[in-house]
Amino acid sequence: MKIYICVLKTGVEKDVKAELDKLRDELLDLYSLYLETGLEPIKEEAITKAYEIHLLDPQFSFVV
């Protein structure tokens, strides 16, 4: 009996790290804009972005 094994490496870790870096940059931009303007919709967008980061990195937390 022959057994075939196929191993695939997708690079998910690199993809997740790149996505986290992108999301963190976006969060910092939004938070900076919120601090400058004080606009509630921008604050809500920053909170949403922080939640997206938390989904990828459960140890991440952000307090406005």
Side-chain angles (χ1 to χ4, degrees):
M1 180 165 103
K2 291 184 180 181
I3 298 175
Y4 297 96
I5 298 175
C6 179
V7 178
L8 297 174
K9 185 170 181 177
T10 61
V12 171
E13 290 177 11
K14 286 184 180 180
D15 292 344
V16 170
K17 182 182 178 331
E19 181 67 18
L20 279 171
D21 289 343
K22 179 181 151 255
L23 289 170
R24 286 182 186 127
D25 287 345
E26 292 172 1
L27 173 60
L28 290 174
D29 291 343
L30 284 167
Y31 187 62
S32 295
L33 185 60
Y34 168 68
L35 291 177
E36 289 176 17
T37 64
L39 296 173
E40 194 65 25
I42 296 173
K43 177 183 177 183
E44 291 173 12
E45 195 172 341
I47 291 170
T48 300
K49 193 66 63 178
Y51 180 70
E52 290 175 26
I53 296 169
H54 178 73
L55 290 176
L56 292 173
D57 179 4
Q59 294 180 5
F60 177 83
S61 65
F62 180 75
V63 179
V64 178

